[in-house]
């Protein structure tokens, strides 16, 4: 084949997305983070974007934060603005499922393209450093006396910490519908409320509170894992006689209307990034558990999680 004909063929294959990632020029990726800065989705998205560039899977990454309604506002904007865009990514996770169940937004995950699950993480409940309470038992005792007096602070309605709070109430004999849950649009807002003593108890992924716990500004009183987290000396809820275990996870979706070839190229780029040292370092730094799952397996997992979460929320009186 003559050189000019070969180059034309190569260009045509690249345009069709039929070349492996290494043979194409890395794309400029646009990443929707459906939360305000400072929370778990934000840190996940920015760490992923950085790692994609270091892995050569993206030439550049631009970020768009759009918080509110457990990610539903950002999801709707992503659907409307990114149709058919093979370089658009949406960070999402268990919190978005809970928000869709409670909020019933007009746009759901059926409008976007499932790509991969990246991490899992358990939540920790903390008290402000100057709280009159010192343990989860103190919080439970007050909850039993006056449920409304205990202000639980965390992410959007339907977040894993919201579900955990309702499950705790149910387990200790308190009507879950009576809990006083204060939802925040992003992890930064929730953190500020806890540090300022504006909520009684706060919940989020351990990585989001780790620096404040280490500095003595937050007192951890329980984690939602089945066993103690590695390197973290905080008792589980189960250890304290509260039969509650619930985990969080985060993943990535692509735009509506992309082709199977484009979907595979995105999954391959994410897989390449996942294996890269930059992403492995980010997971270790943030205490995220690797939880790679891709393609149709991930899509089926999300469907199963949605059904399981709906059942748990119904049992806990949240819907």
């Amino acid at each position: 084949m003559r050189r000019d004909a070969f180059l034309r063929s190569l260009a045509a294959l690249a345009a069709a997305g039929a070349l492996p990632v290494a043979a194409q020029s890395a794309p400029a990726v646009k990443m929707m983070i459906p939360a305000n800065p400072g929370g778990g989705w934000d840190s996940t998205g920015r760490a992923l974007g950085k790692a994609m560039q270091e892995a050569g899977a993206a030439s550049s990454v631009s970020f768009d934060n759009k918080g509110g309604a457990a990610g539903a506002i950002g999801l709707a904007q992503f659907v409307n603005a990114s149709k058919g865009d093979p370089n658009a990514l949406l960070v999402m996770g268990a919190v978005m499922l809970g928000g869709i169940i409670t909020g019933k937004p007009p746009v759901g995950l059926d409008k976007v393209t499932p790509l991969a699950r990246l991490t899992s993480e358990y939540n920790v409940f903390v008290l402000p450093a100057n709280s009159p309470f010192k343990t989860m038992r103190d919080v439970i005792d007050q909850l039993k006396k006056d449920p409304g007096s205990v202000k639980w602070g965390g992410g959007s309605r339907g977040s894993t910490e919201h579900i955990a709070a309702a499950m705790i109430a149910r387990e200790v004999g308190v009507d879950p519908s009576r809990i006083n849950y204060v939802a925040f649009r992003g992890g930064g807002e929730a953190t500020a409320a806890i540090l300022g003593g504006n909520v009684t108890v706060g919940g989020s992924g351990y990585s989001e509170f780790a620096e404040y716990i280490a500095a003595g500004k937050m007192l951890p009183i329980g984690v939602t894992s089945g066993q103690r987290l590695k390197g973290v000396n905080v008792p589980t809820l189960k250890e304290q006689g509260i039969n509650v275990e619930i985990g969080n996870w985060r993943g990535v979706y692509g735009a509506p209307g992309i082709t199977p070839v484009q979907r595979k190229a995105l999954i391959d780029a994410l897989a390449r990034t996942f294996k890269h040292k930059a992403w492995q370092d980010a997971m270790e730094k943030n205490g995220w558990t690797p939880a790679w799952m891709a393609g149709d397996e991930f899509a089926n997992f999300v469907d199963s999680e949605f059904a399981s979460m709906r059942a748990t929320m119904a049992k806990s009186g949240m819907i």
Side-chain angles (χ1 to χ4, degrees), residues 1 18 20 36 41 47 56 79 94 109 120 147 149 155 157 161 173 179 181 218 232 254 288 295 299 314-315:
M1 182 183 290
N36 288 351
W41 282 345
V79 168
L109 286 170
S120 64
S149 68
R157 281 184 53 80
E161 55 266 31
I179 67 169
Y181 185 79
M218 293 180 182
V232 176
W288 298 332
K315 189 177 180 181

Side-chain angles (χ1 to χ4, degrees), residues 201-286:
V201 55
S204 190
Y206 190 87
S207 63
E208 295 179 45
F209 291 160
E211 66 176 290
Y212 304 102
I213 292 171
K217 296 180 179 179
M218 293 180 182
L219 175 65
I221 57 173
V223 292
T224 63
S225 53
Q227 299 179 335
R228 290 201 182 195
L229 301 179
K230 183 179 179 181
V232 176
N233 188 28
V234 181
T236 66
L237 295 175
K238 287 187 171 183
E239 280 183 66
Q240 301 177 71
I242 305 167
N243 188 29
V244 169
E245 178 180 348
I246 183 171
N248 195 359
W249 54 267
R250 299 188 181 107
V252 184
Y253 269 58
I258 60 174
T259 68
V261 171
Q262 291 168 337
R263 181 192 189 201
K264 183 181 184 304
L266 284 173
I267 292 172
D268 289 347
L270 290 169
R272 177 181 176 184
T273 301
F274 188 87
K275 297 172 185 175
H276 195 273
K277 184 177 184 299
W279 179 249
Q280 295 295 317
D281 288 348
M283 286 195 293
E284 182 175 353
K285 175 185 175 183
N286 289 286

Side-chain angles (χ1 to χ4, degrees), residues 8-317:
R8 284 197 301 271
S9 298
L10 195 63
L13 286 169
L19 288 175
V21 172
Q24 301 180 44
S25 58
V29 170
K30 292 169 281 187
M31 191 174 298
M32 165 60 73
I33 300 175
N36 288 351
W41 282 345
D42 187 58
S43 58
T44 299
R46 291 179 188 277
L48 178 63
K50 181 174 182 290
M52 288 186 77
Q53 292 178 83
E54 294 196 21
S59 60
S60 64
V61 181
S62 59
F63 302 96
D64 186 6
N65 286 82
K66 185 64 65 175
I73 293 175
L75 171 62
Q77 180 172 308
F78 182 76
V79 168
N80 292 330
S82 303
K83 290 177 182 176
D85 188 341
N87 299 320
L89 297 177
L90 168 75
V91 178
M92 54 75 68
V95 171
M96 186 174 283
L97 304 192
I100 290 172
I101 292 167
T102 58
K104 301 179 178 65
V107 177
L109 286 170
D110 58 315
K111 303 297 183 184
V112 285
T113 305
L115 298 177
R117 185 184 68 182
L118 301 175
T119 65
S120 64
E121 184 177 28
Y122 288 98
N123 289 337
V124 61
F125 283 105
V126 298
L127 299 171
N130 61 354
S131 172
F133 304 131
K134 302 303 176 188
T135 66
M136 179 60 80
R137 179 51 52 192
D138 294 339
V139 173
I140 297 304
D141 289 343
Q142 183 61 31
L143 185 70
K144 289 180 176 179
K145 292 177 187 176
D146 182 4
S149 68
V150 177
K151 295 173 68 175
W152 302 80
S156 303
R157 281 184 53 80
S159 63
T160 50
E161 55 266 31
H162 184 192
I163 297 171
M167 292 171 72
I168 290 170
R170 186 192 72 209
E171 286 295 319
V172 301
V174 174
D175 181 353
S177 67
R178 296 186 64 195
I179 67 169
N180 182 3
Y181 185 79
V182 183
F184 294 95
R185 290 168 61 94
E189 293 179 12
T191 296
I194 297 164
L195 294 175
N198 297 319
V199 295
T200 309
V201 55
S204 190
Y206 190 87
S207 63
E208 295 179 45
F209 291 160
E211 66 176 290
Y212 304 102
I213 292 171
K217 296 180 179 179
M218 293 180 182
L219 175 65
I221 57 173
V223 292
T224 63
S225 53
Q227 299 179 335
R228 290 201 182 195
L229 301 179
K230 183 179 179 181
V232 176
N233 188 28
V234 181
T236 66
L237 295 175
K238 287 187 171 183
E239 280 183 66
Q240 301 177 71
I242 305 167
N243 188 29
V244 169
E245 178 180 348
I246 183 171
N248 195 359
W249 54 267
R250 299 188 181 107
V252 184
Y253 269 58
I258 60 174
T259 68
V261 171
Q262 291 168 337
R263 181 192 189 201
K264 183 181 184 304
L266 284 173
I267 292 172
D268 289 347
L270 290 169
R272 177 181 176 184
T273 301
F274 188 87
K275 297 172 185 175
H276 195 273
K277 184 177 184 299
W279 179 249
Q280 295 295 317
D281 288 348
M283 286 195 293
E284 182 175 353
K285 175 185 175 183
N286 289 286
W288 298 332
T289 300
W292 176 260
M293 181 185 289
D296 291 343
E297 183 183 10
F298 174 53
N300 293 334
F301 165 79
V302 172
D303 289 343
S304 176
E305 280 285 288
F306 192 89
S308 175
M309 189 174 288
R310 181 188 287 277
T312 298
M313 293 169 79
K315 189 177 180 181
S316 298

